[in-house]
Amino acid sequence: MGKGRIEAFSDGVIAIIITIMVLELKTPHGEGLQALVPLIPTLLSYVLSFIYVGIYWNNHHHMFQAVKHVRGGVLWANLHLLFWLSLMPFATGWMDENNFAMTPVMVYGFILLMCGVAYYILSLMLIRVHGRDSDFAKTLGSDRKATLSVCLYILSIILAAINPFISLGIYFIVACIWLVPDRRFERMMQ
């Protein structure tokens, strides 16, 4: 089957996720810049989560440019990824509401970890559809950034028990690693 519907559906779900997150931003009470000060944690949580959702959208888009066709397993793997991404607004709000307390920061990290695992599963399903010797599989190759990210997420979940702000720093570092889009598929398409 073609890939158009899965791309359109994914784009729609990701747009809704971002919309839900932005709706959590409350209007400040007051007209001066000082009215924004209490909202700084909320804004920082939103920015970090927006960047993560954007990273997944960007890499999903790049990867699907190289996809020729999909099967049922790919549809389910994609839904699995979208499920974990759809929990980002919940985790973002919970983390913000509780001033970056240990458990919400751990849950946020767990959701990031599961997004990474789900994306990996999606890529494996696409390799299965296209074949291990396909251009798609060769382009995907070994994904060191993904492996490093998963390790850092696990470390940050553990470190949240010591200091949640260390974990937040790690989440930020991982996001910075991924801000540069995955160009492997762009090179393949040229």
Side-chain angles (χ1 to χ4, degrees):
M1 64 185 93
K3 62 180 182 168
R5 291 198 59 187
I6 196 170
E7 289 176 300
F9 181 74
S10 299
D11 287 349
V13 170
I14 290 171
I16 291 168
I17 291 167
I18 290 172
T19 302
I20 291 168
M21 286 190 317
V22 78
L23 290 174
E24 288 294 315
L25 297 176
K26 303 299 179 214
T27 306
H29 301 288
E31 59 187 53
L33 289 177
Q34 70 275 9
L36 292 175
V37 172
L39 298 177
I40 289 174
T42 303
L43 291 170
L44 292 176
S45 297
Y46 170 76
V47 167
L48 183 62
S49 294
F50 183 91
I51 288 170
Y52 267 107
V53 173
I55 287 167
Y56 277 101
W57 176 80
N58 196 334
N59 286 317
H60 187 276
H61 171 74
H62 279 93
M63 183 166 64
F64 269 84
Q65 292 306 301
V67 168
K68 305 271 189 263
H69 53 276
V70 298
R71 291 188 192 138
V74 172
L75 298 176
W76 282 109
N78 194 67
L79 281 172
H80 180 232
L81 172 62
L82 294 175
F83 169 78
W84 289 107
L85 285 172
S86 73
L87 291 175
M88 289 295 289
F90 163 76
T92 303
W94 191 29
M95 197 169 56
D96 168 52
E97 272 301 308
N98 293 286
N99 299 313
F100 305 103
M102 177 187 72
T103 302
V105 171
M106 286 176 133
V107 168
Y108 188 82
F110 179 75
I111 290 170
L112 290 175
L113 172 65
M114 294 311 297
C115 286
V117 168
Y119 190 85
Y120 176 71
I121 291 170
L122 176 59
S123 65
L124 289 179
M125 293 304 294
L126 287 166
I127 288 172
R128 182 179 291 171
V129 167
H130 290 86
R132 294 213 176 274
D133 295 328
S134 67
D135 288 339
F136 180 87
K138 290 175 187 170
T139 300
L140 196 57
S142 68
D143 200 345
R144 289 186 210 111
K145 276 196 325 186
T147 303
L148 174 63
S149 299
V150 166
C151 292
L152 288 172
Y153 292 144
I154 292 169
L155 177 64
S156 66
I157 292 167
I158 294 166
L159 289 176
I162 298 167
N163 185 334
F165 291 97
I166 294 172
S167 298
L168 290 168
I170 294 171
Y171 303 151
F172 178 75
I173 289 168
V174 174
C176 288
I177 291 170
W178 285 98
L179 276 177
V180 176
D182 191 340
R183 303 261 186 242
R184 294 176 291 182
F185 292 109
E186 284 183 359
R187 287 189 293 270
M188 177 186 159
M189 301 306 288
Q190 293 176 345

